[in-house]
Amino acid sequence: GKKKKKDDAKSKALNLPKPEFVNTTPKGHKKDLSATPMADAYHPQAVEAAWQDWWEASGFYSCDPKDAEGKSDDEKFVMVIPPPNVTGSLHLGHALTAAVEDTLTRWHRMLGHSTLYVPGTDHAGIATQSVVEKMLMKETKQSRHDLGREEFIKKVWEWKGEYGD
């Protein structure tokens, strides 16, 4: 019926060959979109081509301290994220957080503020310690104080070896 025809049409549309993309933008130059007709769908290779090189060449990933020196505190934006936790395991929440932080930084840059964003991931050292302490208590009926600092650190690294990678 109608649903099958609709599904067949959708399937055909998805199987169309993607247009061949050739990036003509010189490295480090801003991509000129005025001469290119708008594509019928999102093609990441074509959309993203050249932007990274232009952003790097334009200094968008750096903050010149001399520039920031003459600005008021209201014209500066700095966000530093702590280093990763012992597991290094990331999830969608980390990606969402990083996307929001990146957006805020770009917005402040568009406002003309001196911006510096030093991204990291999660910093769950305390959470890791808590997990290992609970495991120790459950398995051996000992606290980290019973073990001593050096032995407890060994247990944390053992835990990291088993669950962190």
Side-chain angles (χ1 to χ4, degrees):
K2 284 186 179 181
K3 182 169 176 19
K4 180 158 176 37
K5 285 181 184 177
K6 197 175 192 179
D7 287 345
D8 287 344
K10 187 177 183 180
S11 179
K12 284 180 186 176
L14 293 175
N15 291 327
L16 290 175
K18 292 180 182 171
E20 187 66 33
F21 173 75
V22 177
N23 182 16
T24 58
T25 306
K27 189 171 178 68
H29 286 74
K30 185 174 182 182
K31 185 164 68 170
D32 180 8
L33 299 172
S34 63
T36 308
M38 188 169 189
D40 60 339
Y42 175 68
H43 302 288
Q45 183 184 12
V47 172
E48 303 301 331
W51 289 119
Q52 182 71 28
D53 292 333
W54 179 65
W55 291 337
E56 288 175 8
S58 299
F60 292 155
Y61 293 116
S62 62
C63 182
D64 185 353
K66 290 179 184 160
D67 258 357
E69 215 171 76
K71 295 191 174 190
S72 71
D73 287 348
D74 289 343
E75 296 174 297
K76 297 175 193 171
F77 183 77
V78 178
M79 188 180 312
V80 180
I81 310 305
N85 67 12
V86 72
T87 67
S89 298
L90 303 179
H91 51 73
L92 189 57
H94 294 101
L96 176 61
T97 299
V100 170
E101 292 163 350
D102 178 66
T103 302
L104 285 169
T105 303
R106 290 171 191 250
W107 180 65
H108 278 275
R109 186 171 287 130
M110 288 189 294
L111 291 173
H113 298 165
S114 291
T115 60
L116 180 61
Y117 174 43
V118 184
T121 53
D122 194 6
H123 65 287
I126 294 170
T128 301
Q129 176 181 331
S130 176
V131 167
V132 174
E133 284 187 69
K134 287 176 184 176
M135 179 192 71
L136 274 174
M137 188 55 70
K138 184 178 179 180
E139 292 176 2
T140 67
K141 304 289 186 228
Q142 290 180 302
S143 73
R144 67 184 161 101
H145 302 289
D146 295 332
L147 281 182
R149 181 177 172 80
E150 294 305 316
E151 279 304 308
F152 179 71
I153 290 172
K154 282 181 189 174
K155 292 291 184 190
V156 170
W157 283 108
E158 286 172 15
W159 183 89
K160 190 264 184 202
E162 188 170 341
Y163 299 102
D165 295 334

